[in-house]
Amino acid sequence: MATSSSSSSSSIAISPRKLRSDLYSYSYKNDGNNPLVITVLASLIERTMVRNERIDAKNCGRRTLRQRGFRSKVFDCREAPDMTVQCYLERIFRYTKAGPSVYVVAYVYIDRFCEANPGFRITARNVHRLLITTMMVASKYVEDMNYRNSYFARVGGLTTKELNKLEVELLFLMGFKLHVNVSVFESYCSHLEREVSIGGGYHIERTIRCAEEIKSRQSKAQRIYNQIARILL
């Protein structure tokens, strides 16, 4: 799935210098451009999802659904939404105008959540709920004025009750570690820049290819999980 904003960015290569400039001096005057951090963050998350799908496929025979535990399933939805991470992050920006710093802080929160909950893996079934929740909490931390939870819920495709519950779960499972000092923020910005340097300049197509690979593996992984569930029952 792709949006017009994604296709319009498909020919844009992102250099570390461009990314740093965008992170620290993004201008809302040009409404046609999304923050560059969206592309880099989406590509990072999509690659993580592909890696996690491979790990789960290898471990499916040794790891039961019961062993996954509550923490690893807290953001799971019944069916994976038919929307790429890139499109979803662009949608969040379109309706909230969250600045680049909010995306970086959300990235910090995702990292902290995964570290605090080693049984959790980002997959196609939980990534959208994880993103809208961390983006909302990061926006509350960074911005002086914010939309209500009910608005973020509509943007993310959830009910207000669902998002309120996910917010509480996130905070407790993170141990309420929300403070991001300047050095931590800088280190995550530098990490994003290094990712761009290693990749030789990110392109949207790279994210799309990852999303297509995830979709092709998702149906196979789902069949495996269903077989395990039937065995347990």
Side-chain angles (χ1 to χ4, degrees), residues 85-154:
V85 172
Q86 174 80 26
C87 293
Y88 197 65
L89 289 176
E90 288 179 352
R91 173 180 171 81
I92 294 174
F93 174 74
R94 187 182 309 121
Y95 292 106
T96 68
K97 295 301 180 185
S101 58
V102 177
Y103 288 87
V104 176
V105 172
Y107 178 34
V108 175
Y109 290 167
I110 291 173
D111 207 24
R112 288 179 179 175
F113 179 82
C114 292
E115 287 182 2
N117 303 276
F120 178 84
R121 289 198 183 105
I122 301 175
T123 68
R125 290 182 60 193
N126 60 36
V127 64
H128 299 84
R129 293 186 176 202
L130 178 65
L131 284 172
I132 191 63
T133 308
T134 52
M135 282 294 298
M136 181 180 73
V137 174
S139 180
K140 291 179 179 181
Y141 181 82
V142 174
E143 306 286 5
D144 294 327
M145 299 182 65
N146 281 283
Y147 292 105
R148 295 176 181 269
N149 283 24
S150 57
Y151 183 79
F152 272 97
R154 289 197 298 273

Side-chain angles (χ1 to χ4, degrees), residues 165-183:
K165 181 180 178 181
L166 291 176
E167 181 183 21
V168 172
E169 296 290 359
L170 176 74
L171 294 175
F172 274 96
L173 291 174
M174 280 179 57
F176 288 86
K177 295 180 180 179
L178 300 178
H179 180 58
V180 179
N181 58 35
V182 175
S183 62

Side-chain angles (χ1 to χ4, degrees), residues 21-40:
S21 174
D22 202 60
L23 285 171
Y24 290 96
S25 59
Y26 179 79
S27 174
Y28 289 94
K29 292 181 180 179
N30 189 351
D31 295 332
N33 292 334
N34 294 318
L36 299 179
V37 67
I38 290 178
T39 300
V40 182

